[in-house]
Amino acid sequence: MAAKRNSFAARLVALSLAACASIPAFAVQSTLEQGAEAQGNIHHSTVVLRALDKITARITEIELPVGEEGHFGTLALNVRYCRTRPPIEPPETFAYIEIDDIKRGGTRERVFEGWMVASSPALNALEHPVYDVWVMSCKTDSPEAQGDSR
């Protein structure tokens, strides 16, 4: 029964994401939360991000443990959750990310906070004049971390 419910939830999220072009941003975030919070999703301990410096055209792959802060250029990246669908579902990766732009003097400005989806990087994207950041995948470093219930 739970597998049917998860499958229904996955299809509902897919349909909702397809219709997001005409939906306000707050509704898109709500839809992403529902997909990321689906029962049966697998929690991971590390996220793999790809970052682009638009000035230098430098692309960097960043592996960042959940809950730790990483840096790319002037951005401070903090991943709160990284989840994937179970193997019986269509593949999808969800990551909840907080991104701050560190200004001169060390002050921070929050430039992004929310769920990013690996298959649709433009759906809920970081809007920054110099940098792009998007989710590639999640990883689990050890068998103990896979049972983590964050």
Side-chain angles (χ1 to χ4, degrees):
M1 184 68 170
K4 282 186 178 181
R5 203 171 328 136
N6 285 341
S7 178
F8 174 75
R11 280 185 255 140
L12 180 62
V13 168
L15 288 172
S16 298
L17 293 176
C20 283
S22 62
I23 299 175
F26 70 88
V28 170
Q29 187 64 26
S30 176
T31 302
L32 292 176
E33 287 175 20
Q34 290 170 3
E37 299 288 338
Q39 184 179 7
N41 279 356
I42 301 166
H43 300 264
H44 297 275
S45 59
T46 303
V47 66
V48 179
L49 302 171
R50 189 161 290 161
L52 167 68
D53 182 325
K54 298 175 190 177
I55 305 298
T56 64
R58 178 181 60 142
I59 297 175
T60 303
E61 198 158 285
I62 303 165
E63 287 190 20
L64 186 61
V66 171
E68 292 186 21
E69 185 172 278
H71 295 273
F72 180 73
T74 62
L75 299 181
L77 312 164
N78 197 329
V79 178
R80 298 292 180 196
Y81 303 100
C82 195
R83 299 176 180 157
T84 57
R85 287 187 183 152
I88 61 171
E89 298 285 334
E92 188 59 271
T93 300
F94 303 92
Y96 190 87
I97 304 175
E98 299 171 347
I99 302 175
D100 293 337
D101 196 359
I102 302 173
K103 306 290 185 188
R104 292 180 192 228
T107 61
R108 292 174 175 241
E109 176 187 348
R110 178 70 38 101
V111 292
F112 181 86
E113 182 176 2
W115 289 100
M116 285 188 179
V117 180
S119 67
S120 303
L123 186 62
N124 197 26
L126 165 69
E127 294 181 16
H128 191 277
V130 179
Y131 305 109
D132 280 341
V133 175
W134 59 98
V135 175
M136 299 303 294
S137 62
C138 295
K139 293 171 45 176
T140 299
D141 296 330
S142 65
E144 302 85 42
Q146 189 167 2
D148 189 6
S149 62
R150 283 191 182 128

